[in-house]
Amino acid sequence: MSKLFTFEKPLGMRDTLPFLYNVKKRVRQAMAQELEQWGYEFIETPTLEYYETVGTASAIADHQLFKLLDQQGHTLVLRPDMTAPIARLAASRLYQHGNPLRLAYHANVFRAQQREGGRPAEFEQIGVECIGDGTVTADAEVIRLMIAALENVGLERFAVAVGHIGYVNALFVDVLGNEERANVLRRFLYEKNYVGYRHHVKSLPLSSIDQQRLLKLLELRGGTEALARARELVQTEEGKKAVEELEELWHALKLFGVTETIKIDLPLVSHMSYYTGILFEVYADGVGFPLGNGGRYDELLEKFSCKAPATGFGIRLDRLIEALPEAAADNEIECIVFSQERFAEAIQLAEEQRKKGKKVVLQHIAGIGDIDAYSKRYNITYLLGRAGKEN
Amino acid sequence: MLTIAMPKGRIFEEALELLRKAGYALPPEFVESRKLMIDIPEEEMRFILAKPMDVVTYVEHGVADLGIAGKDVLLEEERDVYELLDLRISQCRLAVAGLPNSRLNDIAPRVATKYPNVASSYFREQGEQVEIIPLNGSIELAPLIGLADRIVDIVSTGRTLKENGLVEFETIANVTSRLIVNPVSYRMKDEKIDELVERLAAVIANEEKAVL
């Protein structure tokens, strides 16, 4: 490796300068306020977790994990998401009496990037986990809450695509007979390769009716009419149950008044094995990547020896900020530049102004390198020379 | 407005032909100029002309909603985009070629290619550990001057290989151009995109019938 420049940071790591810091703070607060108003309680978990437990349970692929060793030789990971640590915490301590638990978080997560090394490898996520409630109303609540939180931040044009992995699995197993073949097709959907999916379906020794059923899955996009078409493609109990859940979800979201933003998207497979039911992704105008995603993960808590259904969402703060209209710099800072003889007066003035809620810097004139450059940065009040004289 | 990233050259011409057949009113010669961005306000479309390998990048980042890219590029780049339609144009294949009766050198097996990812995963799947030598063009030179025993490249008619005295050993994948879509655009502009896909799919199905 070539010699590092002194200003260099590890690949994908970024500094947050004051302007961005303020924007992030404002967006985080607006999101958090909404989450709290729905009764979700914020928690923090450690940055480091054991690879064997949280690392392997996480939805994030192994090659994206930052790993290190502790002094005892255990492999640790920098948390790649917040869902797995929260599942660990809920399973071991908080989830009791089978009653639902509503938790929220905002935290930096770490994911090593494979290509274009400058993409963020550490970024902040904000989201919720609703643990212990297996009803569709819980799915509807987290989707509604995600929309409410995004609206509270001021996001205008966005859409939520909603799928159901149980539906996809039921259709595949019904037509193809076994899980292994279903897995091949599921991978095509996960890779968003619809051309490959169609080629593969056409190469399978199936009746033309069954081929059509598999091909029609790709067209199950839209509103309630897509659900009606979805119902026609499945015959098994599992398949029908999945459609019923989606209908129930649609009904609940209608009561919440947010179906405008929702797009049914049954071929949506956002992970190969993690989600177990309803799942979703959220997109906004002006950003090429999803802002966040979520869904039902009823099998995760089992990995921490506690069986419980769960659902939640996570939003990437960096992408959300990119989607928002550019924020004006609203960070006015006052500055009192004083000379030694008026120090006491400066202290008093600063305290008065701070009490009024202003941000005030107290700066000795002798500490300033270039007063012209300095005065471009702050609104300066000068307390110089003999006391009693302005400026 | 839909922004469509297109590779310059033959694929562009063939793709335009498809779009015209699908009923989009595109002017007859708008490729003459050196402009890289062409607006067609009547159809609410904007075309961006890019290098084939870059089309997928534009679409992944969402600065283009749609793109037309060869399967070779998609295999090489593995970008997070929807591959919605096989346009059946610019047919060719990714193949392994070399000098006749030659074999991979045991001591230093080398493969020259414009497709390092495709080549390295192909040879890994064959159980061969090879050294990949990335080149930017004239790949056929590599075996002739002793840089590599094998090349991995696009072959359409096989003429270039033949004229340079090379033979094709194995096909890695069949290649045609694909319509790709950014995942966000696929949701935010779903009606427009679904319509375009439907119209193109009908044209492609028709042409296939005509061939049969």
Side-chain angles (χ1 to χ4, degrees):
Chain A
M1 199 169 150
S2 58
K3 192 176 181 301
L4 288 174
F5 294 107
T6 50
F7 54 78
E8 249 180 315
K9 302 176 289 278
L11 218 55
M13 297 295 166
R14 291 182 184 180
D15 299 315
T16 305
L17 301 184
F19 176 69
L20 179 57
Y21 182 91
N22 283 322
V23 175
K24 274 170 86 171
K25 189 169 91 180
R26 192 170 50 76
V27 171
R28 184 191 305 123
Q29 275 172 352
M31 290 276 294
Q33 183 199 21
E34 192 67 30
L35 306 185
E36 278 174 340
Q37 286 195 317
W38 286 62
Y40 284 74
E41 292 174 289
F42 274 84
I43 56 163
E44 281 179 349
T45 66
T47 310
L48 291 172
E49 295 272 0
Y50 284 120
Y51 167 67
E52 241 179 282
T53 57
V54 172
T56 55
S58 154
I60 306 307
D62 210 73
H63 66 263
Q64 284 199 292
L65 302 180
F66 281 100
K67 296 184 193 127
L68 53 154
L69 294 177
D70 72 5
Q71 282 162 326
Q72 282 76 42
H74 294 295
T75 307
L76 309 178
V77 292
L78 289 172
R79 61 170 174 242
D81 67 4
M82 278 300 286
T83 308
I86 288 178
R88 167 186 60 68
L89 178 60
S92 61
R93 290 189 55 181
L94 296 178
Y95 180 59
Q96 285 164 356
H97 316 298
N99 283 332
L101 196 59
R102 285 175 167 79
L103 299 173
Y105 61 88
H106 63 81
N108 284 11
V109 298
F110 304 84
R111 294 176 197 169
Q113 298 298 329
Q114 291 301 294
R115 64 163 65 232
E116 288 174 19
R119 288 193 190 182
E122 175 183 14
F123 51 85
E124 183 169 343
Q125 267 195 330
I126 182 160
V128 304
E129 310 296 347
C130 179
I131 292 160
D133 188 342
T135 69
V136 175
T137 48
D139 295 282
E141 175 177 303
V142 297
I143 293 176
R144 173 64 186 107
L145 176 53
M146 179 176 76
I147 292 171
L150 291 174
E151 281 171 342
N152 204 40
V153 177
L155 190 67
E156 275 164 12
R157 277 183 44 77
F158 61 99
V160 183
V162 177
H164 194 309
I165 195 65
Y167 178 84
V168 175
N169 291 344
L171 179 66
F172 285 176
V173 170
D174 185 21
V175 174
L176 302 168
N178 70 45
E179 190 54 38
E180 209 173 304
R181 287 187 213 154
N183 210 37
V184 176
L185 271 186
R186 202 159 44 229
R187 182 159 289 280
F188 281 115
L189 294 185
Y190 171 66
E191 288 172 353
K192 305 186 171 70
N193 182 356
Y194 289 5
V195 172
Y197 178 91
R198 284 193 212 101
H199 280 302
H200 186 75
V201 167
K202 284 175 189 161
S203 74
L204 292 170
L206 294 172
S207 70
S208 65
I209 294 173
D210 278 345
Q211 283 197 357
Q212 280 308 314
R213 284 167 72 197
L214 293 178
L215 294 178
K216 277 188 179 153
L217 170 64
L218 299 182
E219 294 161 17
L220 298 179
R221 293 172 12 104
T224 40
E225 83 292 343
L227 290 181
R229 282 183 279 134
R231 183 174 275 279
E232 286 165 19
L233 296 188
V234 287
Q235 280 137 18
T236 58
E237 279 310 306
E238 290 83 13
K240 286 179 187 161
K241 188 171 154 262
V243 177
E244 273 156 29
E245 282 183 12
L246 283 168
E247 284 167 346
E248 223 181 302
L249 179 80
W250 187 271
H251 180 68
L253 290 172
K254 197 163 191 171
L255 290 177
F256 277 125
V258 292
T259 43
E260 289 281 292
T261 330
I262 308 292
K263 292 174 192 294
I264 296 292
D265 197 312
L266 281 166
L268 178 68
V269 173
S270 39
H271 193 274
M272 274 305 283
S273 59
Y274 188 73
Y275 292 108
T276 57
I278 287 163
L279 52 90
F280 51 91
E281 281 184 2
V282 56
Y283 317 90
D285 249 1
V287 183
F289 301 90
L291 298 187
N293 68 321
R296 183 160 280 288
Y297 54 96
D298 289 350
E299 284 160 13
L300 180 64
L301 269 83
E302 251 176 282
K303 294 184 180 165
F304 299 99
S305 317
C306 165
K307 207 169 154 30
T311 177
F313 74 78
I315 296 284
R316 274 185 69 153
L317 213 60
D318 53 348
R319 291 186 180 159
L320 172 58
I321 287 168
E322 226 187 305
L324 292 170
E326 198 145 330
D330 60 346
N331 194 32
E332 294 263 302
I333 300 177
E334 307 286 325
C335 180
I336 299 167
V337 174
F338 63 90
S339 58
Q340 191 59 44
E341 52 270 57
R342 295 177 73 178
F343 188 27
E345 193 184 336
I347 291 174
Q348 203 187 348
L349 181 61
E351 274 176 9
E352 276 166 21
Q353 292 194 339
R354 284 181 191 134
K355 264 183 201 146
K356 287 183 201 153
K358 286 189 179 164
K359 296 167 188 167
V360 185
V361 170
L362 202 53
Q363 177 62 53
H364 196 297
I365 183 77
I368 298 173
D370 178 348
I371 188 71
D372 287 336
Y374 201 69
S375 65
K376 282 184 189 123
R377 217 177 124 195
Y378 298 110
N379 300 322
I380 298 187
T381 306
Y382 294 94
L383 293 179
L384 302 173
R386 257 188 317 124
K389 263 191 177 174
E390 275 298 308
N391 291 336
Chain B
M1 171 104 109
L2 286 179
T3 304
I4 308 176
M6 297 268 225
K8 286 182 248 183
R10 210 187 65 195
I11 300 183
F12 182 63
E13 291 297 334
E14 288 180 329
L16 281 188
E17 195 55 36
L18 272 182
L19 284 168
R20 287 199 188 98
K21 282 183 188 160
Y24 289 94
L26 305 177
E29 75 270 317
F30 68 101
V31 266
E32 307 292 302
S33 72
R34 283 165 175 268
K35 268 195 179 165
L36 297 176
M37 214 159 78
I38 302 158
D39 284 347
I40 311 289
E42 306 83 58
E43 295 288 1
E44 293 190 316
M45 279 178 169
R46 164 176 285 175
F47 291 91
I48 300 176
L49 299 184
K51 284 263 182 198
M53 286 280 185
D54 295 339
V55 166
V56 285
T57 309
Y58 287 112
V59 175
E60 187 185 41
H61 284 264
V63 288
D65 301 308
L66 300 123
I68 289 171
K71 183 66 183 173
D72 53 328
V73 177
L74 294 173
L75 286 171
E76 177 64 20
E77 294 282 316
E78 294 188 314
R79 299 293 182 143
D80 191 22
V81 294
Y82 278 94
E83 186 181 329
L84 283 191
L85 270 185
D86 184 348
L87 300 175
R88 309 274 175 146
I89 54 175
S90 308
Q91 296 201 9
C92 55
R93 56 195 180 275
L94 270 168
V96 181
L99 286 165
N101 304 317
S102 67
R103 54 192 212 93
L104 267 175
N105 189 318
D106 287 330
I107 301 156
R110 295 199 180 106
V111 178
T113 184
K114 253 198 292 195
Y115 301 89
N117 289 330
V118 171
S120 99
S121 62
Y122 176 76
F123 282 98
R124 220 178 58 225
E125 280 161 26
Q126 308 298 307
E128 305 256 19
Q129 289 203 319
V130 300
E131 179 184 346
I132 303 289
I133 302 177
L135 294 178
N136 288 309
S138 306
I139 314 296
E140 294 81 4
L141 258 180
L144 302 180
I145 56 170
L147 177 63
D149 315 303
R150 289 286 182 270
I151 61 170
V152 167
D153 203 11
I154 281 289
V155 181
S156 49
T157 59
R159 225 183 93 196
T160 319
L161 288 182
K162 213 171 160 192
E163 283 181 4
N164 287 292
L166 301 180
V167 291
E168 196 177 329
F169 291 106
E170 297 118 39
T171 300
I172 298 178
N174 287 312
V175 172
T176 48
S177 294
R178 310 290 160 92
L179 180 74
I180 57 172
V181 181
N182 172 272
V184 178
S185 304
Y186 194 41
R187 276 43 182 250
M188 299 306 292
K189 301 183 179 176
D190 51 349
E191 278 166 24
K192 273 212 143 90
I193 289 173
D194 283 348
E195 194 202 325
L196 179 89
V197 169
E198 216 167 278
R199 281 161 74 172
L200 279 176
V203 172
I204 296 160
N206 257 334
E207 303 213 327
E208 245 168 73
K209 252 184 229 157
V211 171
L212 290 173

